[in-house]
Amino acid sequence: MKIAIAGYGLEGKQNYKYFNKPGNDLTIADERADIDIPSDAKYITGDGAYDDMSQFDMVIRTAGLSPLKIKKAKLVWSATNEFFAKCKAPIIGVTGTKGKGTTSSFITSILCAAGKKVYLVGNIGVPALSVLPDIRPEDFVVYEMSSFQLWDIKYSPHIAVVLMIEPDHLDVHTDFEDYLKAKSNIRRWQNLNDICIYHPSNPFSQKIASVTLATLDQAIKGDYLNNIHRYGIKDDGLVYIKDDFFYTNDRKICPISCVKLPGKHNLENACAAMSAVLELKLDISDNQFAEGLRSFTGLPHRLKYVSEINNVKFYDDSISTTPGSAIAAIKSFTSPKVLILGGSYKGGDFTDLVKEIKKSNIRQIILMGDEANRIEQFLKVAGIAKYVNLERCSMFEIVSKAAAAASPGDVVILSPACASFGMFKNYQDRGKKFINAVDLLKSGETI
């Protein structure tokens, strides 16, 4: 079979390895011309690499590559489709605009505490096909699913978790409806034995949960919709919070203090994770739930404590690429805050973020990147003057300015609400440079 491996990044390299079998004739296709290609591989690189895929029997699309860019293909497939088609273990799929990685990690940690063998794959950075040969029917898979992985998937997980949804990736998707349509695929292919749990108040999450198979007989559509439940709500029978404890129905599971991550949104993520585990119908004890929550202390660049300088705490939330995630970061602290915002365009609307800033205890806002001027206009319209626009300064200058604006007892938060490109390679690079700048400042360096 003639196969094109479209996109040769982390996932693309694993796709090449997986499909490089006797009987397959592989060609790597990538718009980038400077990629590291195996010496014996066929390849098509540079502009227009995906313009004519008609010579191939199958095109394996890497997650971040829009299907719309692949032209004249007989069949477009993906690692996600291949994994779902071949995986014999139950899959819990987690999507949402933010919180996917944290919720997926909570689920994995709880199942591990209960002695289960779990594979955490997908958007979190582990290519699913790299572990597929090792997975047994008695194991469990937790799959973090971005809109890019869901774009053209033909399968849905046994348990679908839909967190809060807000506009995102509008620099890649044609519009918000296209983003929602992609997200909806986590539910679209579920059958009557599958389950969807969703955010208790977000209308877009509810819309996704209510998606049904187009071919579903009207007579059983009601039964199908009975398998959707809100987490965080007592009436829906899943996990909720009462008196600083996690409950399900009248079962008191463990105190919310078992969650070691800051912010109300992380308590919601824990409710979603615990609810997903409950739906597996396993015999998991209260102590195992508590241990699972306690043992997960957070992912890099997700509102992660960095250091303290002159009684000012610094937090790295570089994963924050939407206004909603910056709002969650602001709400996570009662102390006065110095907030670092800005980056590259991702289609975000800053209206609600500015409203939150106006009513919150924000001492100063540091603006950076291509979006700095656009955010500044939102701030001006709202009558907010406590900001400084640094645009293209170095991260050390940005951190130094933030530290100078802070008073003892404050927190400085890098929660940009924008993509990272332009100034940085990606959000990880941005977060690492923030951490390095804080460390340099602590060591006594000056501009």
Side-chain angles (χ1 to χ4, degrees):
M1 180 182 286
K2 292 189 68 175
I3 298 175
I5 304 297
Y8 198 64
L10 178 65
E11 185 178 278
K13 289 176 181 177
Q14 182 58 47
N15 291 345
Y16 184 85
K17 181 179 178 180
Y18 176 86
F19 286 98
N20 193 10
K21 300 172 181 177
N24 288 343
D25 179 9
L26 303 187
T27 299
I28 294 167
D30 199 301
E31 289 181 322
R32 299 169 298 166
D34 58 345
I35 55 174
D36 183 21
I37 296 173
S39 58
D40 59 344
K42 299 177 183 178
Y43 60 90
I44 305 168
T45 59
D47 293 341
Y50 315 122
D51 285 355
D52 187 357
M53 297 279 102
S54 60
Q55 63 179 296
F56 300 103
D57 301 307
M58 178 188 292
V59 178
I60 311 297
R61 178 186 70 85
T62 197
L65 175 62
S66 168
L68 300 175
K69 297 195 76 170
I70 301 172
K71 308 295 185 182
K72 303 177 185 177
K74 295 183 180 77
L75 173 64
V76 178
W77 200 239
S78 67
T80 310
N81 271 314
E82 182 71 11
F83 184 88
F84 271 77
K86 301 289 176 61
C87 181
K88 294 180 172 61
I91 301 174
I92 302 173
V94 182
T95 199
T97 302
K98 291 297 172 186
K100 300 183 295 295
T102 296
T103 303
S104 297
S105 298
F106 271 137
I107 294 169
T108 303
S109 187
I110 293 166
L111 289 173
C112 287
K116 308 301 180 183
K117 180 66 175 177
V118 192
Y119 293 88
L120 175 57
V121 301
N123 194 60
I124 202 155
V126 179
L129 295 182
S130 68
V131 299
L132 180 59
D134 303 324
I135 298 173
R136 305 165 300 169
E138 61 269 27
D139 298 335
F140 295 91
V141 173
V142 182
Y143 207 127
E144 184 191 341
M145 309 188 79
S146 72
S147 62
F148 301 154
Q149 283 147 330
L150 288 163
W151 227 328
D152 52 5
I153 194 172
K154 303 302 180 187
Y155 304 88
S156 292
H158 170 51
I159 296 175
V161 181
V162 185
L163 308 174
M164 189 187 76
I165 302 289
E166 64 174 327
D168 194 14
H169 297 303
L170 300 187
D171 55 331
V172 179
H173 286 279
T174 54
D175 52 28
F176 184 45
E177 282 304 312
D178 182 56
Y179 176 70
L180 274 182
K181 184 179 179 182
K183 289 286 193 184
S184 297
N185 284 332
I186 198 170
R187 169 67 171 158
R188 192 179 309 281
W189 309 107
Q190 285 192 314
N191 60 42
L192 287 172
N193 297 317
D194 296 326
I195 296 155
C196 179
I197 66 176
Y198 64 99
H199 191 279
S201 61
N202 183 260
F204 305 118
S205 302
Q206 182 177 6
K207 183 176 180 180
I208 290 171
S210 300
V211 167
T212 59
L213 280 166
T215 57
L216 198 63
D217 190 293
Q218 190 65 36
I220 61 171
K221 192 165 283 192
D223 293 332
Y224 181 82
L225 292 175
N226 283 339
N227 282 351
I228 65 173
H229 310 284
R230 295 168 297 173
Y231 60 87
I233 301 292
K234 180 179 181 180
D235 292 346
D236 282 32
L238 298 181
V239 176
Y240 64 99
I241 295 172
K242 184 179 78 170
D243 300 330
D244 293 334
F245 276 82
F246 292 109
Y247 278 81
T248 177
N249 296 318
D250 293 322
R251 174 186 170 188
K252 189 177 185 179
I253 302 175
C254 62
I256 62 173
S257 59
C258 291
V259 175
K260 301 305 180 184
L261 312 182
K264 179 184 174 184
H265 62 291
N266 280 317
L267 296 179
E268 290 182 351
N269 291 335
C271 283
M274 296 168 77
S275 297
V277 171
L278 281 178
E279 291 291 355
L280 290 171
K281 309 302 180 187
L282 303 171
D283 186 19
I284 296 182
S285 70
D286 296 344
N287 285 338
Q288 288 168 334
F289 272 112
E291 175 57 27
L293 294 176
R294 275 195 297 263
S295 60
F296 176 60
T297 57
L299 295 166
H301 315 302
R302 271 89 165 169
L303 207 56
K304 194 84 169 178
Y305 173 73
V306 176
S307 190
E308 183 173 334
I309 305 174
N310 298 328
N311 201 27
V312 174
K313 291 183 171 68
F314 291 76
Y315 286 85
D316 167 21
D317 193 35
S318 184
I319 189 68
S320 163
T321 58
T322 67
S325 51
I327 291 171
I330 291 170
K331 289 181 175 179
S332 297
F333 301 95
T334 57
S335 306
K337 291 163 279 288
V338 177
L339 184 64
I340 302 171
L341 291 175
S344 58
Y345 178 75
K346 206 183 181 188
D349 182 345
F350 301 107
T351 303
D352 289 342
L353 173 57
V354 168
K355 287 179 182 177
E356 185 63 36
I357 288 171
K358 194 164 187 177
K359 66 183 182 182
S360 299
N361 195 359
I362 304 290
R363 190 179 299 280
Q364 182 69 282
I365 300 162
I366 311 295
L367 300 177
M368 65 176 181
D370 295 340
E371 288 285 79
N373 292 332
R374 196 161 76 92
I375 298 172
E376 181 178 359
Q377 293 309 308
F378 277 86
L379 294 171
K380 284 181 176 179
V381 169
I384 298 170
K386 47 191 175 184
Y387 67 85
V388 56
N389 188 341
L390 299 183
E391 291 194 56
R392 290 282 176 161
C393 283
S394 71
M395 182 58 84
F396 184 77
E397 291 174 292
I398 291 166
V399 168
S400 298
K401 183 70 73 171
S407 297
D410 289 1
V411 293
V412 172
I413 313 169
L414 171 71
S415 191
C418 301
S420 56
F421 309 114
M423 291 177 68
F424 309 99
K425 295 177 184 176
N426 48 44
Y427 79 84
Q428 294 100 326
D429 179 50
R430 178 169 63 190
K432 288 175 184 176
K433 283 185 167 58
F434 176 76
I435 293 168
N436 290 339
V438 172
D439 289 343
L440 281 172
L441 192 66
K442 190 171 185 177
S443 70
E445 292 284 339
T446 59
I447 297 176

